Each structure stands twice: as structure tokens, then as C-alpha cells.
Amino acid sequence: MSSTFDQVATIIAETCDIPRDTITPESHAIDDLGIDSLDFLDIAFAIDKAFGIKLPLEKWTQEVNDGNATTEQYFVLKNLSARIDELVAAKGAST
Amino acid sequence: MHLEYFKLIDRILDLNTAEKTIVAEARVPETSTIFEGHFPGHPIMPGVLLIESMAQTSGWLLLALMKFERMPFLAAVKEAKMRGFVSPGEVLTIEANVLHEGSGYAMTEARVKVGGKLRSNATITFSHVPFPNPELRGHMDEEAKRIGFPQQALLP
């Protein structure tokens, strides 16, 4: 599995005190790991710092609320990791 | 400082949007109903109000950085430490700087000093949203005038 997922899983484990071995690429941060929106801010902060990006949480939330996306697209960890890779790539392309 | 109305900042001494820092000042009132209970014979400013003073100072900094287009709301407090008593009549210098600006949230580090000595500090998380209504925006505009918010900070 990608190193991005490993980093994200480690961040989640350390930030939310969740056993690392229970976190898989298929885990849904909200539904499976029980992470609430406030705790997710701490995770977002750690991800932003670790990857030098800014997770577009507001945009994602709006898309979910508007019915234009599902939470699985952003909060299942393999998908979250893919979004992070895209953001890192976009950042690299713009600099 | 008017504790009962949660007006914990008297004035802004310095606001630097480039450095993302702010310094505010507040004088703890000599008397307050709060001191009648906290504590009889030993009045001190409650730690939660020191945290609130740091949150309000941080909030003005974030308001400036967001050009008064969004309102920050307290979401989390970490590493809050009460390092010494704050007594009635003391003048607080409250400093804050931005630790991180995320999407829809921000984190600050803030400190309360008296006479240059650190009395309290905290790391504070805010969520921020567009102003929920014109009434709150109007209230914040009035408060900005009261505390001498430097309007030039909002210029491009």
C-alpha cells in the first residue's frame, strides 16, 4: 500500500489514539473509526503539515451536503490518500 | 474588560497581518460578581476567562486575516496552562499568532502576560464560517470600533 496511506494511518492512530493495526485502506474515517468533525480538524492539521498541502475540507463538505459527492470518496482512507497524492502533485506542478 | 458581558479585550495595541500576529490589552476590573465566588477572600480571574481572552484576541487576528468576511468560533483548546494568578486591577497583555490556516479552520498560539511575565498560554483551534447574519456582523463592527481595530489592516 502507498506510503501516503501509511503516513495517514499513523497520523490518525497518533492523533485519535486508535490502534494502528485496526486502520486499513478500506476504513471509513467517520463510519468505521468513529472520528468526528472536530477530531478530523486535528488530522487535517497534521496532514496539511506533513504533506505541505491544504486539505479542502470546506469544499468536500459542501459537495457531500449538496449531494454531489459521497463521504466515501473523501473519507475512506485509500480515497483520502489518493486525494492527498493529487493535491501534492498539483502543488508540485504549480511551483 | 467587562467580564459579565464577555468583553475581555479593551484595545488592540498591534495588529500585523503580514506576520499574522496581534497584541491586545485588557485591565481586569477591581470588582465583579465573578470575584465574589472566585474566590471569597482571594479574588482571581478564572482560568477559563483567561482562555477566553486569548480566544478573543486570536479571533480578532483571524477576523483581520479573513477581512471580516468570516466569523471564527472557538472549537478546541489545547495545552492551556495557568502559570500564575491574575488578580483584580492587573493589566493583561494578550498576544497571539497564527499556527496554521486550514480550510474552514485555523489554529493559533496565544499568551497572557502581566508586566512582561507569562501567566497563561494555550493553543486554540477555531472553525470559521461566513457571518451567519447581519446582526452579528454589525455587533463585531461595533466591537471593532470599541477596541480600536485598525481598519487599515483590511486594506489590500
Side-chain angles (χ1 to χ4, degrees):
Chain A
M1 192 42 63
S2 73
S3 63
T4 299
F5 166 75
D6 289 331
Q7 289 185 68
V8 170
T10 299
I11 286 171
I12 290 173
E14 293 177 351
T15 304
C16 297
D17 199 20
I18 295 172
R20 171 64 182 81
D21 58 5
T22 65
I23 302 171
T24 73
E26 305 300 326
S27 299
H28 189 300
I30 302 165
D31 297 342
D32 297 329
L33 302 178
I35 298 168
D36 65 20
S37 59
L38 186 54
D39 286 335
F40 202 83
L41 291 187
D42 287 331
I43 293 167
F45 170 62
I47 289 173
D48 285 358
K49 286 287 185 189
F51 293 93
I53 57 173
K54 188 169 174 176
L55 284 183
L57 293 182
E58 278 199 294
K59 176 171 172 281
W60 291 355
T61 303
Q62 192 64 50
E63 288 177 7
V64 170
N65 290 343
D66 290 345
N68 295 324
T70 64
T71 59
E72 287 76 9
Q73 287 175 249
Y74 298 124
F75 297 106
V76 167
L77 298 190
K78 65 180 181 184
N79 297 335
L80 175 62
S81 299
R83 301 287 91 75
I84 291 169
D85 287 340
E86 291 169 4
L87 290 163
V88 171
K91 183 188 171 216
S94 65
T95 54
Chain B
M1 184 180 281
H2 199 165
L3 297 178
E4 288 77 4
Y5 286 87
F6 254 50
K7 295 184 177 183
L8 297 177
I9 304 302
D10 291 340
R11 63 192 177 108
I12 292 175
L13 300 179
D14 184 64
L15 175 59
N16 187 326
T17 53
E19 297 290 329
K20 301 179 181 179
T21 61
I22 188 171
V23 181
E25 184 178 77
R27 182 176 180 278
V28 182
E30 293 286 355
T31 60
S32 165
T33 53
I34 287 172
F35 297 138
E36 293 173 16
H38 195 279
F39 294 98
H42 185 58
I44 55 174
M45 186 165 169
V48 291
L49 292 181
L50 290 174
I51 293 170
E52 177 64 21
S53 72
M54 291 187 279
Q56 290 190 11
T57 301
S58 298
W60 287 110
L61 173 58
L62 296 176
L63 277 164
L65 294 174
M66 297 184 291
K67 307 289 185 190
F68 274 69
E69 292 174 355
R70 300 170 68 90
M71 178 71 183
F73 291 95
L74 179 61
V77 179
K78 292 182 182 173
E79 300 295 329
K81 294 182 177 172
M82 311 305 136
R83 299 174 182 274
F85 293 144
V86 172
S87 303
E90 289 194 305
V91 176
L92 312 183
T93 302
I94 310 157
E95 307 169 348
N97 61 275
V98 171
L99 180 64
H100 183 67
E101 291 175 280
S103 169
Y105 74 100
M107 295 176 176
T108 68
E109 297 170 321
R111 299 157 293 282
V112 174
K113 295 180 179 176
V114 177
K117 293 189 176 178
L118 188 64
R119 296 286 179 91
S120 181
N121 64 288
T123 302
I124 307 174
T125 301
F126 298 83
S127 59
H128 54 73
V129 297
F131 272 92
N133 57 53
E135 182 183 359
L136 178 57
R137 173 60 199 264
H139 170 76
M140 297 309 292
D141 285 342
E142 287 301 311
E143 281 295 290
K145 289 177 188 169
R146 182 182 68 82
I147 64 172
F149 182 92
Q151 292 298 319
Q152 65 268 24
L154 302 180
L155 297 174

